[in-house]
Amino acid sequence: MGRSRLLFYLVSLLVSATSDYHNTSRRVCDLKGIVDDCVCDVETTNRLNAVHIYPKLKRLLERDYFRYFKVDLTKSCLFWPDDGRCVLRDCSVESCPIDELPRGLVDDGYDCEHNNEKQFLSEVDQSVSEREQVAFATWDNHDDAAPENFCELDDERSDATLYVDLLKNPERYTGYAGASPRRVWRSIYEENCFPNGRPKVYSRFTPSGLCREERVFYRAISGLHSSINIHLCAKYFHKGAGPFSKPTWSPNLSEFKRRFDSEMTRGRGPGWLKNLYMIYLLSLRAIVKAGSYLEKETFYTGNDEEDRRVKEDVLQLIESARSCPGTFDESDMFRGESASLKEEFRLHFRNISRIMDCVGCDKCKLWGKLQTLGIGTGLKILFSWELDQSRNVTQRFQLRRNEIVALFNVLGRFSSSINALKTFRKLEEEEEKGST
């Protein structure tokens, strides 16, 4: 069977599998029922997130320990020669020297003035204060090494690896579109196949006939993709009405529907949104499973009072997550005949973390690298436990600060995406009322 015919066949399988979404509701956000490959439903997840997880995470991720992420945005793409740089005109990163900026601008998080809109949209603000730079040096000395990883880690000792303030660089619309991002996502979906003897072509949809390990892998990537798209729609760039008006970022319902509406995605959009719930629950489960490890973490920044408050907030979040009777159950994965897939699974995800260096927009690369590291850290936590001869569970992982930061921030991204669905649901309702 030719590649194009095989792809058409797999797409047809998925459209058939997702037919239960058709004609149930005209609203994109009206999702219901069990989340695939999880032990929790959409309604319970929404309540858990709205009441317990999202408010706590929002406060926690504003703390110094979690707001600074160390990343190398200069690494070259290993897969093709033309996308290892920004494809947008004049979008190279230019951080201003701290000593040349007025104190008020530094404190308020502003950067140099730019004449090009796309440069403004995609630029990463790398400005940090002198006090913060001194603190970072002590953080590095306090950090520990991590062994087995599901991600390709940046060399944190390299001069090219710098701290980025995530609050100054929120994930939102950047104008990055076209052939470059399509090639990145196509490579992620199609070039990480499991050689189990069944000829398949992978894409953003999940065909039937996959074992659970394969389904979890592809739903995790699809959920990440959905979360990124939701944030681009929730914080969409709108030009000001006049020449002196400031641009704003606000929800764009039309763009959201274009990406997820059942009628505009041949029935697949709601399934993509459900995959967001799957990776959210997987990440939440990872934090719960790492609870005993995180209880011993100092969350060191050099400020004893700040560190104490961060730990209190982390423990409260873990306790809230534990209150949910079931999220994601990893206990039956990589057992029996599927045990051999574990290393394949890990290597495929490491490959995806390398592909993120091919993203041609620095802000998109920043959040892509952080979120793949966050998911990879979650996978390491879930699948790095072993049973000893007495059937006692033994922890087999260590986490670097950057991995902890990425893990909590990626859960924050998924939590924020689920929360944003409430906003789009209200906008859909208002649109319906306006049309009647």
Side-chain angles (χ1 to χ4, degrees):
M1 184 181 295
R3 181 181 177 91
S4 60
R5 290 181 61 192
L6 179 59
L7 179 59
F8 176 79
Y9 171 70
L10 294 175
V11 172
S12 300
L13 280 177
L14 181 77
V15 172
S16 175
T18 58
S19 61
D20 58 312
Y21 288 113
H22 289 262
N23 300 320
T24 58
S25 173
R26 293 296 299 271
R27 295 178 190 162
V28 183
C29 301
D30 283 349
L31 302 173
K32 298 178 180 179
I34 293 294
V35 178
D36 297 318
D37 287 303
C38 292
V39 288
C40 194
D41 57 39
V42 170
E43 297 87 341
T44 302
T45 305
N46 282 334
R47 289 193 298 270
L48 173 69
N49 187 62
V51 177
H52 298 289
I53 305 302
Y54 178 73
K56 290 182 174 66
L57 265 177
K58 189 174 184 299
R59 180 179 68 249
L60 182 64
L61 296 180
E62 293 176 353
R63 299 287 192 184
D64 283 355
Y65 185 89
F66 289 104
R67 68 181 286 183
Y68 295 107
F69 180 66
K70 204 168 190 182
V71 63
D72 182 359
L73 297 176
T74 67
K75 290 177 71 172
S76 300
C77 175
L78 300 177
F79 302 94
W80 50 83
D82 57 332
D83 278 7
R85 56 181 173 79
C86 184
V87 299
L88 300 176
R89 184 165 61 92
D90 296 328
C91 80
S92 58
V93 173
E94 296 182 16
S95 58
C96 301
I98 302 299
D99 56 1
E100 294 181 9
L101 281 176
R103 171 60 60 183
L105 293 185
V106 176
D107 291 343
D108 289 339
Y110 290 103
D111 208 339
C112 286
E113 185 176 344
H114 304 288
N115 295 322
N116 185 277
E117 178 182 294
K118 288 188 175 180
Q119 178 182 1
F120 166 69
L121 289 173
S122 60
E123 179 174 278
V124 173
D125 182 345
Q126 295 183 0
S127 61
V128 293
S129 70
E130 294 180 5
R131 178 188 63 80
E132 290 161 344
Q133 292 180 35
V134 172
F136 296 156
T138 63
W139 295 6
D140 289 344
N141 293 332
H142 190 268
D143 211 357
D144 293 321
E148 182 183 22
N149 296 304
F150 278 72
C151 283
E152 185 87 0
L153 300 180
D154 289 341
D155 180 3
E156 295 186 31
R157 302 292 178 177
S158 168
D159 291 339
T161 309
L162 302 174
Y163 279 101
V164 173
D165 187 337
L166 299 175
L167 298 185
K168 291 182 179 179
N169 296 278
E171 184 184 26
R172 60 190 180 189
Y173 177 83
T174 64
Y176 181 52
S180 177
R182 283 198 298 269
R183 189 195 311 208
V184 169
W185 284 112
R186 186 170 62 249
S187 297
I188 289 173
Y189 284 119
E190 295 186 359
E191 295 180 9
N192 294 285
C193 303
F194 290 84
N196 53 15
R198 294 191 299 272
K200 291 189 290 291
V201 176
Y202 294 113
S203 63
R204 193 181 172 190
F205 6 92
T206 306
S208 60
L210 301 181
C211 67
R212 183 162 187 247
E213 289 79 5
E214 294 170 315
R215 293 198 310 270
V216 167
F217 184 93
Y218 290 105
R219 284 192 170 120
I221 302 307
S222 174
L224 169 63
H225 197 172
S226 295
S227 179
I228 290 172
N229 282 335
I230 289 171
H231 283 104
L232 302 187
C233 298
K235 295 186 177 181
Y236 198 85
F237 179 73
H238 299 274
K239 294 182 179 180
F244 301 104
S245 301
K246 292 183 179 181
T248 60
W249 280 267
S250 58
N252 186 326
L253 180 60
S254 297
E255 182 66 18
F256 175 78
K257 293 173 74 171
R258 184 184 74 81
R259 293 173 185 264
F260 294 107
D261 184 84
S262 181
E263 293 183 358
M264 302 182 75
T265 60
R266 290 183 291 178
R268 297 188 295 267
W272 297 339
L273 291 177
K274 267 202 168 181
N275 289 338
L276 161 66
Y277 282 78
M278 194 284 293
I279 189 58
Y280 169 85
L281 293 171
L282 183 150
S283 301
L284 196 62
R285 167 61 181 156
I287 287 180
V288 169
K289 193 166 185 177
S292 59
Y293 180 95
L294 294 171
E295 287 170 358
K296 302 173 184 176
E297 178 63 38
T298 61
F299 300 99
Y300 177 81
T301 64
N303 182 327
D304 293 341
E305 180 61 21
E306 173 75 3
D307 298 351
R308 183 187 63 78
R309 290 181 178 179
V310 169
K311 186 162 187 174
E312 286 180 355
D313 288 346
V314 168
L315 296 182
Q316 287 179 16
L317 178 69
I318 294 173
E319 194 61 32
S320 295
R322 285 172 175 162
S323 68
C324 187
T327 51
F328 178 85
D329 183 9
E330 74 285 356
S331 62
D332 65 342
M333 292 182 64
F334 306 117
R335 304 291 184 187
E337 294 182 358
S338 64
S340 60
L341 287 176
K342 182 176 179 180
E343 183 63 11
E344 194 86 31
F345 193 106
R346 188 177 72 88
L347 292 177
H348 284 331
F349 204 87
R350 283 179 68 94
N351 192 53
I352 290 174
S353 71
R354 295 187 187 102
I355 293 175
M356 286 301 171
D357 286 317
C358 300
V359 174
C361 158
D362 281 325
K363 275 188 178 174
C364 305
K365 181 186 290 188
L366 164 66
W367 284 102
K369 287 169 72 75
L370 180 146
Q371 291 180 85
T372 52
L373 177 58
I375 297 173
T377 302
L379 295 173
K380 180 165 79 169
I381 292 168
L382 292 178
F383 303 119
S384 296
W385 297 72
E386 297 178 357
L387 292 176
D388 61 22
Q389 293 181 349
S390 302
R391 305 296 294 174
N392 294 319
V393 176
T394 304
Q395 168 199 309
R396 306 293 297 178
F397 66 85
Q398 294 290 324
L399 301 178
R400 295 184 64 86
R401 176 191 169 274
N402 232 30
E403 291 177 293
I404 297 174
V405 170
L407 175 64
F408 278 80
N409 269 281
V410 79
L411 179 62
R413 294 292 80 206
F414 301 148
S415 175
S416 177
S417 292
I418 290 175
N419 188 68
L421 294 182
K422 294 193 303 182
T423 299
F424 286 113
R425 187 180 299 111
K426 291 178 181 177
L427 291 175
E428 286 185 292
E429 293 172 356
E430 292 172 1
E431 187 179 64
E432 289 177 2
K433 292 179 181 177
S435 62
T436 56

